[in-house]
């Protein structure tokens, strides 16, 4: 019998700035549909005190990032919030790392 999962981290690939339809489809599947599929599969496998942690991005904060990455990164927080309500008491969180301008960068 498989053991329950305590914490699960899902990090998708990097951003896409292309308007190629096939690449756009692959990126949307990797960054939006994959988290949904992982959450659905993990629903009965993650302990009640466990965590699903998604890694997104900040590309949706500015329109210059490109239409695809802007749309996907803008949709992922809404998906995460909805999954958190649906999967409670399992925690569902999103980390959206971005560039931080510091003296070391």
């Amino acid at each position: 019998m498989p053991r329950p999962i305590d914490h699960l981290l899902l990090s998708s690939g990097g951003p896409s700035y292309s308007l190629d339809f096939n690449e756009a489809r692959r990126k949307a599947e990797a960054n939006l549909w994959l988290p949904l599929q992982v959450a659905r599969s993990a629903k009965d496998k993650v302990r009640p005190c466990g965590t699903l942690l998604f890694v997104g991005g900040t590309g949706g904060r500015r329109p210059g990032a490109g239409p695809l990455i802007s749309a996907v990164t803008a949709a992922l927080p809404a998906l995460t919030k909805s999954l958190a309500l649906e999967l409670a008491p399992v925690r569902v969180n999103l980390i959206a790392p971005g560039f931080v301008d510091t003296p070391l960068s």
Side-chain angles (χ1 to χ4, degrees), residues 12-14 26-35 55 69 72 76 79:
S12 296
R26 285 190 301 272
K27 287 294 183 179
E29 287 175 359
N31 291 290
L32 196 57
W33 291 112
L34 182 59
V55 179
I69 200 65
V72 170
L76 195 51
L79 176 64

Side-chain angles (χ1 to χ4, degrees), residues 18-93:
S18 172
L19 291 178
D20 177 71
F21 186 77
N22 290 324
E23 183 179 348
R25 179 177 292 191
R26 285 190 301 272
K27 287 294 183 179
E29 287 175 359
N31 291 290
L32 196 57
W33 291 112
L34 182 59
L36 184 59
Q37 291 172 328
V38 166
R40 185 179 62 187
S41 296
K43 182 178 180 180
D44 298 322
K45 297 175 181 76
V46 176
R47 294 179 196 260
C49 59
T51 306
L52 291 180
L53 179 59
F54 302 131
V55 179
T58 59
R61 294 182 184 167
R62 286 189 233 161
L68 172 67
I69 200 65
S70 293
V72 170
T73 56
L76 195 51
L79 176 64
T80 303
K81 290 174 186 177
S82 295
L83 288 171
L85 291 173
E86 187 171 322
L87 299 178
V90 172
R91 290 184 310 271
V92 183
N93 293 311

